[in-house]
Amino acid sequence: MKKFFLFSLIFLTHSTMGFTLVSNPATKFSTTEITVNVSNDSCAGAGITNTVLLDLVEEAAEEYWSRVTTSSLVINKGSEVAVSINGETSIGAAALLTTANTIIVGCSTNVTLFPSPADDNTLGVGGIASFSDGSVRGAFLVNANGNFINQGQAEKLATIAHELGHSLGLGHSSDPVALMYFSIGSKVQERLTMDDKDGLTYLYPNEDALPASCGTIAIDNDKGGGGGFLMLSLIFLITLMGTKKLKTQQLELET
Protein backbone atom coordinates (compact mmCIF):
# COMPACT_ATOMS: atom_id res chain seq x y z
CA MET A 1 0.00 0.00 0.00
CA LYS A 2 2.87 2.38 0.83
CA LYS A 3 4.36 1.75 -2.59
CA PHE A 4 1.02 2.55 -4.21
CA PHE A 5 0.76 5.94 -2.49
CA LEU A 6 4.40 6.75 -3.23
CA PHE A 7 3.83 5.89 -6.90
CA SER A 8 0.75 8.12 -6.99
CA LEU A 9 2.53 10.99 -5.28
CA ILE A 10 5.39 10.95 -7.76
CA PHE A 11 3.08 11.36 -10.76
CA LEU A 12 0.57 13.71 -9.18
CA THR A 13 3.37 16.12 -8.29
CA HIS A 14 5.03 15.85 -11.70
CA SER A 15 4.62 19.18 -13.50
CA THR A 16 3.37 18.93 -17.06
CA MET A 17 2.18 21.29 -19.74
CA GLY A 18 -1.04 20.83 -21.67
CA PHE A 19 -1.48 19.30 -25.10
CA THR A 20 -4.83 19.87 -26.78
CA LEU A 21 -7.05 18.27 -29.39
CA VAL A 22 -8.75 20.00 -32.30
CA SER A 23 -12.23 18.85 -31.26
CA ASN A 24 -14.40 17.32 -28.57
CA PRO A 25 -15.05 14.43 -28.92
CA ALA A 26 -11.67 13.71 -30.45
CA THR A 27 -11.48 13.44 -34.23
CA LYS A 28 -8.86 10.87 -35.16
CA PHE A 29 -8.18 8.28 -37.81
CA SER A 30 -9.81 4.91 -37.28
CA THR A 31 -6.66 3.17 -38.50
CA THR A 32 -3.13 3.57 -37.24
CA GLU A 33 -1.68 3.56 -40.76
CA ILE A 34 -2.32 6.63 -42.91
CA THR A 35 -0.97 7.99 -46.19
CA VAL A 36 -0.05 11.59 -46.98
CA ASN A 37 -0.43 12.80 -50.58
CA VAL A 38 0.50 16.14 -52.14
CA SER A 39 -1.81 18.04 -54.47
CA ASN A 40 -0.58 19.19 -57.87
CA ASP A 41 -1.13 22.89 -57.10
CA SER A 42 1.93 25.06 -57.73
CA CYS A 43 4.16 25.74 -54.72
CA ALA A 44 6.22 28.40 -56.46
CA GLY A 45 4.96 31.09 -54.09
CA ALA A 46 6.25 29.07 -51.16
CA GLY A 47 9.65 28.68 -52.77
CA ILE A 48 9.45 24.92 -53.16
CA THR A 49 8.22 22.34 -55.64
CA ASN A 50 5.54 19.71 -55.08
CA THR A 51 8.24 17.06 -54.96
CA VAL A 52 10.15 18.99 -52.31
CA LEU A 53 6.93 19.43 -50.30
CA LEU A 54 6.31 15.69 -50.38
CA ASP A 55 9.90 15.05 -49.31
CA LEU A 56 9.49 17.53 -46.44
CA VAL A 57 6.37 15.68 -45.31
CA GLU A 58 8.25 12.39 -45.36
CA GLU A 59 11.17 13.87 -43.42
CA ALA A 60 8.84 15.53 -40.91
CA ALA A 61 7.05 12.25 -40.28
CA GLU A 62 10.32 10.35 -39.83
CA GLU A 63 12.12 12.96 -37.72
CA TYR A 64 9.20 13.81 -35.45
CA TRP A 65 6.02 11.74 -35.22
CA SER A 66 7.32 8.31 -36.26
CA ARG A 67 9.80 8.39 -33.37
CA VAL A 68 7.10 8.29 -30.72
CA THR A 69 7.44 4.69 -29.57
CA THR A 70 4.40 4.94 -27.31
CA SER A 71 2.22 5.60 -30.37
CA SER A 72 1.11 2.96 -32.85
CA LEU A 73 0.73 5.45 -35.71
CA VAL A 74 2.41 4.73 -39.05
CA ILE A 75 2.65 7.57 -41.58
CA ASN A 76 3.29 6.55 -45.17
CA LYS A 77 4.62 8.79 -47.93
CA GLY A 78 2.14 8.90 -50.78
CA SER A 79 2.48 10.67 -54.11
CA GLU A 80 1.53 13.77 -56.05
CA VAL A 81 -2.15 13.52 -56.96
CA ALA A 82 -4.27 15.35 -59.52
CA VAL A 83 -6.29 17.22 -56.93
CA SER A 84 -6.44 21.01 -56.58
CA ILE A 85 -7.03 22.39 -53.09
CA ASN A 86 -5.65 25.88 -53.73
CA GLY A 87 -9.10 27.38 -54.07
CA GLU A 88 -10.51 25.91 -50.84
CA THR A 89 -11.15 28.35 -48.01
CA SER A 90 -11.27 25.82 -45.16
CA ILE A 91 -9.46 22.69 -44.09
CA GLY A 92 -12.71 20.75 -44.09
CA ALA A 93 -13.31 21.59 -47.75
CA ALA A 94 -9.76 20.59 -48.63
CA ALA A 95 -10.02 17.32 -46.70
CA LEU A 96 -13.24 16.48 -48.52
CA LEU A 97 -11.21 16.20 -51.74
CA THR A 98 -9.05 13.37 -50.45
CA THR A 99 -10.02 9.82 -49.46
CA ALA A 100 -10.63 8.09 -46.14
CA ASN A 101 -7.63 7.69 -43.85
CA THR A 102 -5.42 9.96 -45.94
CA ILE A 103 -4.06 13.48 -45.58
CA ILE A 104 -3.88 15.87 -48.52
CA VAL A 105 -1.15 18.52 -48.46
CA GLY A 106 -0.71 21.49 -50.75
CA CYS A 107 0.30 25.11 -51.21
CA SER A 108 -2.29 27.84 -51.25
CA THR A 109 -2.51 31.40 -52.53
CA ASN A 110 -6.09 31.76 -51.35
CA VAL A 111 -6.40 35.18 -49.72
CA THR A 112 -9.21 34.01 -47.42
CA LEU A 113 -6.79 31.70 -45.65
CA PHE A 114 -3.62 33.65 -46.33
CA PRO A 115 -4.17 37.38 -46.88
CA SER A 116 -1.55 39.29 -48.81
CA PRO A 117 0.99 40.95 -48.70
CA ALA A 118 3.95 38.69 -48.17
CA ASP A 119 4.52 39.86 -44.59
CA ASP A 120 1.61 37.67 -43.49
CA ASN A 121 3.04 35.73 -40.56
CA THR A 122 0.78 32.68 -40.92
CA LEU A 123 2.95 29.87 -42.28
CA GLY A 124 0.25 27.25 -42.70
CA VAL A 125 -3.08 25.85 -41.56
CA GLY A 126 -4.02 22.26 -40.89
CA GLY A 127 -6.70 20.08 -39.40
CA ILE A 128 -8.73 16.90 -39.49
CA ALA A 129 -12.38 16.30 -40.34
CA SER A 130 -14.99 13.58 -40.07
CA PHE A 131 -17.68 13.22 -42.72
CA SER A 132 -21.21 11.89 -42.96
CA ASP A 133 -20.02 8.64 -44.55
CA GLY A 134 -18.05 7.90 -41.40
CA SER A 135 -14.68 8.61 -42.97
CA VAL A 136 -11.95 10.71 -41.38
CA ARG A 137 -9.59 12.76 -43.54
CA GLY A 138 -6.90 15.34 -42.92
CA ALA A 139 -5.45 18.30 -44.79
CA PHE A 140 -2.98 21.10 -44.42
CA LEU A 141 -2.01 24.02 -46.59
CA VAL A 142 1.27 25.92 -46.78
CA ASN A 143 1.10 29.70 -47.19
CA ALA A 144 2.27 30.54 -50.71
CA ASN A 145 1.39 34.23 -50.16
CA GLY A 146 3.39 34.86 -47.00
CA ASN A 147 6.81 34.37 -45.53
CA PHE A 148 7.12 30.58 -45.65
CA ILE A 149 9.44 31.22 -48.57
CA ASN A 150 11.72 33.24 -46.26
CA GLN A 151 12.13 30.49 -43.67
CA GLY A 152 15.24 28.37 -43.34
CA GLN A 153 15.16 24.65 -44.00
CA ALA A 154 14.83 23.77 -40.31
CA GLU A 155 11.91 26.17 -39.84
CA LYS A 156 10.17 24.85 -42.94
CA LEU A 157 10.52 21.29 -41.68
CA ALA A 158 9.19 22.25 -38.24
CA THR A 159 6.24 24.02 -39.87
CA ILE A 160 5.37 20.94 -41.93
CA ALA A 161 5.68 18.73 -38.85
CA HIS A 162 3.44 21.12 -36.88
CA GLU A 163 0.71 21.17 -39.51
CA LEU A 164 0.99 17.40 -39.86
CA GLY A 165 0.28 17.22 -36.13
CA HIS A 166 -2.96 19.18 -36.64
CA SER A 167 -3.90 16.83 -39.47
CA LEU A 168 -3.54 13.92 -37.06
CA GLY A 169 -5.94 15.53 -34.58
CA LEU A 170 -3.65 17.51 -32.27
CA GLY A 171 -4.36 21.09 -31.26
CA HIS A 172 -1.94 23.65 -29.85
CA SER A 173 0.19 23.03 -26.79
CA SER A 174 0.57 25.56 -23.98
CA ASP A 175 4.24 24.59 -23.71
CA PRO A 176 6.20 27.31 -25.60
CA VAL A 177 9.00 24.89 -26.49
CA ALA A 178 6.67 22.20 -27.86
CA LEU A 179 6.38 21.58 -31.58
CA MET A 180 2.61 22.07 -31.28
CA TYR A 181 2.93 25.51 -29.69
CA PHE A 182 1.11 28.00 -31.91
CA SER A 183 4.24 29.91 -32.94
CA ILE A 184 7.69 28.73 -34.00
CA GLY A 185 9.08 32.21 -33.26
CA SER A 186 12.80 32.31 -33.75
CA LYS A 187 13.45 28.85 -32.34
CA VAL A 188 14.36 25.80 -34.37
CA GLN A 189 12.23 22.90 -33.19
CA GLU A 190 14.43 19.88 -33.77
CA ARG A 191 12.50 17.35 -31.71
CA LEU A 192 9.23 16.69 -29.95
CA THR A 193 8.71 17.51 -26.29
CA MET A 194 7.03 15.10 -23.88
CA ASP A 195 3.86 17.16 -24.30
CA ASP A 196 3.84 16.50 -28.06
CA LYS A 197 4.48 12.82 -27.49
CA ASP A 198 1.74 12.58 -24.85
CA GLY A 199 -0.75 14.09 -27.30
CA LEU A 200 0.02 11.63 -30.08
CA THR A 201 0.03 8.73 -27.62
CA TYR A 202 -3.37 9.79 -26.30
CA LEU A 203 -4.86 9.64 -29.80
CA TYR A 204 -2.99 6.60 -31.13
CA PRO A 205 -1.67 4.60 -28.16
CA ASN A 206 0.72 1.71 -28.48
CA GLU A 207 -0.74 -0.53 -25.80
CA ASP A 208 2.52 -2.47 -25.54
CA ALA A 209 4.60 0.60 -24.77
CA LEU A 210 2.46 2.94 -22.66
CA PRO A 211 4.56 5.29 -20.51
CA ALA A 212 4.25 5.63 -16.77
CA SER A 213 3.42 9.32 -17.03
CA CYS A 214 0.55 11.72 -17.05
CA GLY A 215 -0.26 15.03 -18.68
CA THR A 216 -2.97 17.58 -19.15
CA ILE A 217 -5.44 17.89 -21.97
CA ALA A 218 -7.84 20.48 -23.30
CA ILE A 219 -9.75 21.39 -26.42
CA ASP A 220 -8.00 23.97 -28.57
CA ASN A 221 -10.46 26.79 -29.21
CA ASP A 222 -7.95 29.38 -30.29
CA LYS A 223 -4.51 29.54 -31.83
CA GLY A 224 -2.87 30.19 -28.49
CA GLY A 225 -3.86 26.88 -26.92
CA GLY A 226 -6.25 28.37 -24.37
CA GLY A 227 -6.69 27.38 -20.74
CA GLY A 228 -9.02 25.16 -18.80
CA PHE A 229 -7.05 21.92 -18.94
CA LEU A 230 -8.33 18.59 -17.66
CA MET A 231 -5.88 16.32 -15.86
CA LEU A 232 -5.32 12.99 -17.58
CA SER A 233 -5.72 9.94 -15.41
CA LEU A 234 -2.64 8.10 -14.32
CA ILE A 235 -1.66 5.23 -16.58
CA PHE A 236 -2.78 2.59 -14.14
CA LEU A 237 -6.15 4.29 -13.76
CA ILE A 238 -6.49 4.51 -17.54
CA THR A 239 -5.89 0.77 -17.65
CA LEU A 240 -8.62 0.17 -15.08
CA MET A 241 -11.18 2.66 -16.26
CA GLY A 242 -10.49 2.94 -20.00
CA THR A 243 -9.55 6.01 -21.95
CA LYS A 244 -12.32 8.57 -22.23
CA LYS A 245 -12.77 9.83 -25.75
CA LEU A 246 -12.54 13.42 -25.76
CA LYS A 247 -15.71 18.43 -36.44
CA THR A 248 -13.13 20.05 -37.52
CA GLN A 249 -11.20 23.18 -36.68
CA GLN A 250 -8.36 24.56 -38.74
CA LEU A 251 -5.35 25.77 -36.84
CA GLU A 252 -2.70 28.24 -37.85
CA LEU A 253 1.03 28.38 -37.21
CA GLU A 254 2.63 31.78 -36.93
CA THR A 255 6.18 33.02 -36.87
Side-chain angles (χ1 to χ4, degrees):
M1 182 64 70
K2 289 182 179 180
K3 289 183 178 180
F4 174 82
F5 284 114
L6 179 60
F7 181 78
S8 300
L9 181 62
I10 290 173
F11 291 111
L12 286 173
T13 55
H14 177 64
S15 177
T16 60
M17 301 301 290
F19 68 83
T20 71
L21 306 179
V22 297
S23 64
N24 182 16
T27 303
K28 61 180 182 178
F29 291 102
S30 58
T31 178
T32 57
E33 188 164 347
I34 63 169
T35 299
V36 184
N37 296 315
V38 170
S39 78
N40 61 353
D41 293 311
S42 172
C43 284
I48 55 178
T49 66
N50 304 80
T51 300
V52 168
L53 179 57
L54 186 58
D55 289 342
L56 281 171
V57 171
E58 180 183 32
E59 185 176 356
E62 291 179 350
E63 293 297 317
Y64 293 87
W65 302 113
S66 294
R67 295 192 175 191
V68 183
T69 58
T70 52
S71 168
S72 59
L73 189 69
V74 176
I75 303 172
N76 295 319
K77 177 183 179 181
S79 60
E80 183 176 337
V81 293
V83 174
S84 176
I85 57 177
N86 181 51
E88 304 305 326
T89 58
S90 72
I91 289 301
L96 182 61
L97 299 178
T98 189
T99 56
N101 298 320
T102 66
I103 295 172
I104 185 72
V105 181
C107 298
S108 177
T109 57
N110 191 288
V111 294
T112 299
L113 288 177
F114 305 118
S116 293
D119 61 357
D120 179 15
N121 62 356
T122 302
L123 299 180
V125 296
I128 189 171
S130 59
F131 296 92
S132 58
D133 62 357
S135 66
V136 175
R137 315 172 195 186
F140 71 80
L141 291 162
V142 172
N143 188 352
N145 284 337
N147 64 4
F148 183 89
I149 192 173
N150 299 320
Q151 303 302 308
Q153 183 68 12
E155 287 83 0
K156 289 178 180 178
L157 184 62
T159 297
I160 297 299
H162 177 101
E163 298 306 337
L164 184 57
H166 287 322
S167 301
L168 297 173
L170 292 172
H172 286 137
S173 170
S174 62
D175 183 352
V177 299
L179 175 71
M180 295 311 297
Y181 190 63
F182 80 96
S183 172
I184 65 169
S186 59
K187 69 186 177 72
V188 177
Q189 187 70 45
E190 296 180 340
R191 61 185 60 87
L192 299 180
T193 64
M194 183 56 69
D195 197 62
D196 298 314
K197 296 175 182 178
D198 283 347
L200 192 71
T201 301
Y202 183 87
L203 288 174
Y204 308 99
N206 179 352
E207 301 295 346
D208 295 326
L210 285 176
S213 63
C214 60
T216 56
I217 189 169
I219 306 306
D220 191 10
N221 289 320
D222 61 31
K223 63 184 177 183
F229 300 129
L230 301 175
M231 179 63 71
L232 276 179
S233 300
L234 294 174
I235 292 301
F236 63 87
L237 290 180
I238 294 177
T239 303
L240 293 174
M241 301 173 62
T243 301
K244 182 179 179 181
K245 291 186 177 180
L246 287 181
K247 216 149 182 175
T248 177
Q249 177 178 329
Q250 62 192 36
L251 300 166
E252 301 177 354
L253 177 65
E254 296 185 352
T255 54

